[in-house]
Amino acid sequence: MLFPVHALAHRPLTVGAVAELAGLPAVPSISDDYDAVDAEVQRRGWCWEDRLVCESFRTAEQHVLCSDSAGPFGDPDARAFLVFGELYPVNPHDENMANESWLYGLMDRWQELPGWSGRRPCTDQDCEAVLAQAAQAVTEYLGAPPERTVVSDSTVMTGPALTHRIWRTPTHALILGPTADNGPYGYLTHLQLSCTPLDCGPDLPSADDEDGLADWITAHIDW
């Protein structure tokens, strides 16, 4: 059964974008004062981004990157995520299925980013296609398929159940999938790739432990 989605905006994830995100913890560290971070932002061709995700960056490939540190450069303990898609799901409990139609204005902001495109309306399968393309980029970069794949809505505040995929490096977890947009409205959903230290959670659960995997994902992507 297809799950309806009001709107989807996305920009394809590339191998280069995956490499840049995964490499951030290992680059030479810089001071976390504004001038030092700003100099690195400009050197990379990034810019500051506050309209879509508070206190975030827009990369040279026009994805939105957020970190829990002042700057995501050379900090192995920092958590970071890269947003390459945004969806506005239908709330099936809304009798008129109109939901908060004013959120189309916020979706416009995402879709207007350079290189982004969108569909209105669409379904969860369109979102899965975007995630599948992104998974190919991660697999190509790491040279291996995901260690775990689970379909679960337990880490999503609203919207359809979508696929999470998990890879690990010796030090970090790379988690691809949906997560709640915790911005001022809290109703939209990011499609994102997270890079977080492995020690954010216990050992990776077995493939048949869906509840354990959901908890493991939440421990790594929620802060």
Side-chain angles (χ1 to χ4, degrees):
M1 181 177 177
L2 298 179
F3 191 105
V5 173
H6 287 302
L8 167 68
H10 69 98
R11 176 170 172 77
L13 193 66
T14 65
V15 176
V18 176
E20 184 173 46
L21 175 68
L24 289 177
V27 301
S29 61
I30 62 173
S31 169
D32 62 1
D33 70 83
Y34 177 84
D35 289 339
V37 174
D38 186 57
E40 181 65 13
V41 166
Q42 294 188 43
R43 187 190 71 80
R44 289 174 175 265
W46 294 12
C47 62
W48 298 88
E49 174 61 71
D50 288 320
R51 297 173 67 241
L52 297 169
V53 180
C54 293
E55 298 180 354
S56 63
F57 308 94
R58 183 141 39 98
T59 70
E61 293 203 30
Q62 303 300 319
H63 300 118
V64 175
L65 185 144
C66 186
S67 172
D68 66 348
S69 66
F73 311 113
D75 183 353
D77 296 322
R79 305 184 186 208
F81 63 81
L82 190 70
V83 181
F84 56 87
E86 191 80 0
L87 66 116
Y88 171 17
V90 169
N91 179 357
H93 303 295
D94 185 318
E95 292 183 0
N96 298 320
M97 301 294 277
N99 302 170
E100 301 295 336
S101 58
W102 54 271
L103 287 174
Y104 281 116
L106 188 55
M107 289 299 299
D108 286 340
R109 294 183 186 178
W110 285 95
Q111 191 168 326
E112 289 166 0
L113 291 176
W116 283 61
S117 60
R119 296 189 63 177
R120 302 182 184 187
C122 59
T123 71
D124 57 337
Q125 293 307 300
D126 297 296
C127 302
E128 287 286 17
V130 171
L131 290 170
Q133 181 279 321
Q136 291 178 359
V138 182
T139 293
E140 184 175 344
Y141 170 69
L142 292 174
E147 292 186 64
R148 301 284 189 274
T149 300
V150 58
V151 177
S152 173
D153 61 358
S154 60
T155 57
V156 181
M157 291 181 65
T158 185
L162 294 171
T163 302
H164 282 96
R165 296 173 174 89
I166 299 169
W167 293 261
R168 288 182 295 173
T169 72
T171 57
H172 284 72
L174 292 174
I175 302 172
L176 180 78
T179 194
D181 179 337
N182 290 319
Y185 311 112
Y187 191 77
L188 304 181
T189 297
H190 294 321
L191 300 182
Q192 68 179 38
L193 178 64
S194 300
C195 181
T196 54
L198 282 174
D199 59 10
C200 292
D203 290 341
L204 184 64
S206 62
D208 60 355
D209 183 2
E210 293 189 2
D211 290 340
L213 286 170
D215 290 342
W216 194 89
I217 290 169
T218 299
H220 283 82
I221 68 174
D222 190 22
W223 71 75

